[in-house]
Amino acid sequence: AKIEALLDAWYKDVYKMIKSFDNDNMRPMQKIAKELRQAIEDFKTRFPFLKAFGSESVLERHWTELFKRMDKKPMADFEKITLKMMLDAGINEFTNDFEELSTAASKEHGLKKAMETMKKD
């Protein structure tokens, strides 16, 4: 949530910059601001997968299930898979799948932690 808020704030700031640089003397700065806006937009398209599968709660079996749903073989060991690899594999076409798996992983992780706490008590 913090990163999403930060991205939104950056986007709003860049939008204001683009408007304020809208005169002949400031065109080069406006161009840079527009490029920054595009970079933020590009990152936002990649962020949902990072957020979902960048969690410690996602285990190898979740990765296995994701690749099964994508009908693809893993391109590397799970801990060595990069965002670029996943984007090249078309991960953004499987948003519902990776979000569902991530949610399940988070719930399982929460239950595991709760059980550990109960065992200690």
Side-chain angles (χ1 to χ4, degrees):
K2 287 181 184 179
I3 294 175
E4 289 168 316
L6 189 59
L7 286 171
D8 288 341
W10 287 347
Y11 193 84
K12 287 175 186 172
D13 288 345
V14 168
Y15 184 78
K16 290 175 189 173
M17 283 185 229
I18 291 169
K19 284 189 149 213
S20 69
F21 296 152
D22 193 17
N23 63 59
D24 290 337
N25 294 335
M26 302 296 274
R27 290 283 180 239
M29 274 113 170
Q30 187 183 45
K31 183 177 185 250
I32 292 169
K34 286 180 178 180
E35 290 170 2
L36 180 57
R37 178 183 63 189
Q38 186 60 50
I40 293 169
E41 288 172 356
D42 291 346
F43 183 77
K44 280 182 160 187
T45 65
R46 296 172 174 97
F47 184 69
F49 178 73
L50 278 176
K51 181 180 172 191
F53 263 60
S55 168
E56 68 177 337
S57 61
V58 175
L59 304 174
E60 189 171 315
R61 63 188 162 87
H62 300 111
W63 282 97
T64 301
E65 178 63 23
L66 179 61
F67 280 103
K68 183 178 172 185
R69 291 182 186 193
M70 293 173 68
D71 197 28
K72 295 187 185 282
K73 291 185 179 185
M75 62 287 289
D77 291 337
F78 299 113
E79 62 274 355
K80 294 183 180 175
I81 293 174
T82 65
L83 176 60
K84 181 169 180 2
M85 289 176 182
M86 293 305 292
L87 291 170
D88 290 346
I91 190 60
N92 285 337
E93 296 172 28
F94 297 91
T95 302
N96 290 339
D97 294 297
F98 70 68
E99 286 179 350
E100 177 186 321
L101 290 168
S102 173
T103 299
S106 293
K107 288 178 181 177
E108 291 167 17
H109 185 74
L111 287 171
K112 183 179 175 185
K113 291 287 186 190
M115 287 178 66
E116 288 173 3
T117 302
M118 288 177 8
K119 284 181 182 178
K120 288 178 184 176
D121 294 344

